[in-house]
Amino acid sequence: MSTTPPVLAAELAQAWADIQRYHPELPDLAAPESLIGESSSACGAELSFERLLHEAVHGIAAARGVRDTSRAGRYHNRRFLAIAEELGLDHAEEPHPSSGFSLVTLNPEAKRRYSPTTERLQRALKAHTVATAADTKRSFRGPAARHGSSGGGVRVKAVCECGRNVRVVPSVLAQAPIVCGGCGKPFRIPEAAVAVG
């Protein structure tokens, strides 16, 4: 069940549809909620229309079968940059050492084109911020809120019977088993790591 206010989810979906009008190859947005509260140093932590357009670049790259990032999605390469330019995003001359060309901004033409969309989305985001800020004193929102990510907090090492390991957020592993492809057994967090975490 989504905890996203319906108005914000609807505005995100409408903004995505507005982008699709100009770029029909952009796939549909499966879950607008997935963009809310997500933090990524490569893509920018704050949700905005600019960030939505950045995500649309990734969507078009996926539709075209273009690998637009490397380094586990952190480094945005020149293929990302070429699609970003198509969507009306400007960039720095030189890539950032760790995130490449991820820091993009709306160019003047895109600002004009998407002005009504941007204004609607900003109103919805402001209302969402006000609504979610009101309950911070008495509600526990979990490690994702504390750390500013949807990742759920600090990752720890989980191991399987054959000795392979993965880094995982304990709350994610608690939702359902993650099974090793080598031995078919579930990954488990060693007791010592649980006691420290």
Side-chain angles (χ1 to χ4, degrees):
M1 179 175 177
S2 171
T3 57
T4 305
V7 171
L8 180 54
E11 284 300 339
L12 284 166
Q14 181 58 55
W16 194 263
D18 290 351
I19 299 168
Q20 285 178 311
R21 256 191 317 210
Y22 294 98
H23 305 280
E25 69 184 306
L26 177 63
D28 291 339
L29 182 60
E33 305 82 26
S34 65
L35 296 172
I36 301 168
E38 186 172 310
S39 173
S40 166
S41 59
C43 300
E46 186 177 321
L47 183 57
S48 64
F49 182 72
E50 204 164 72
R51 167 82 188 284
L52 195 63
L53 208 53
H54 175 121
E55 295 302 330
V57 172
H58 292 303
I60 289 176
R64 293 178 181 174
V66 171
R67 186 169 178 202
D68 63 340
T69 63
S70 59
R71 300 181 195 166
R74 290 185 307 272
Y75 190 87
H76 293 60
N77 60 34
R78 291 193 183 277
R79 289 179 293 272
F80 170 87
L81 182 59
I83 298 170
E85 288 173 346
E86 288 177 40
L87 269 69
L89 293 166
D90 283 337
H91 55 86
E93 276 300 311
E94 295 298 319
H96 184 275
S98 62
S99 62
F101 294 102
S102 69
L103 302 175
V104 288
T105 57
L106 286 168
N107 68 28
E109 181 185 334
K111 281 181 185 177
R112 280 189 302 278
R113 174 187 300 155
Y114 293 113
S115 178
T117 304
T118 303
E119 290 170 14
R120 280 194 329 266
L121 186 57
Q122 282 308 111
R123 281 193 302 272
L125 285 167
K126 186 175 181 179
H128 174 72
T129 301
V130 168
T132 57
D135 67 357
T136 57
K137 291 182 181 172
R138 297 185 41 91
S139 300
F140 177 70
R141 302 188 64 161
R146 289 197 314 275
H147 297 292
S149 77
S150 62
V154 179
R155 288 170 173 74
V156 298
K157 183 165 56 171
V159 295
C160 67
E161 286 187 16
C162 70
R164 296 178 72 211
N165 66 71
V166 295
R167 302 295 267 167
V168 63
V169 177
S171 63
V172 170
L173 193 59
Q175 292 173 9
I178 298 174
V179 180
C180 174
C183 68
K185 302 290 182 182
F187 285 94
R188 300 198 186 284
I189 299 171
E191 296 300 319
V194 174
V196 172

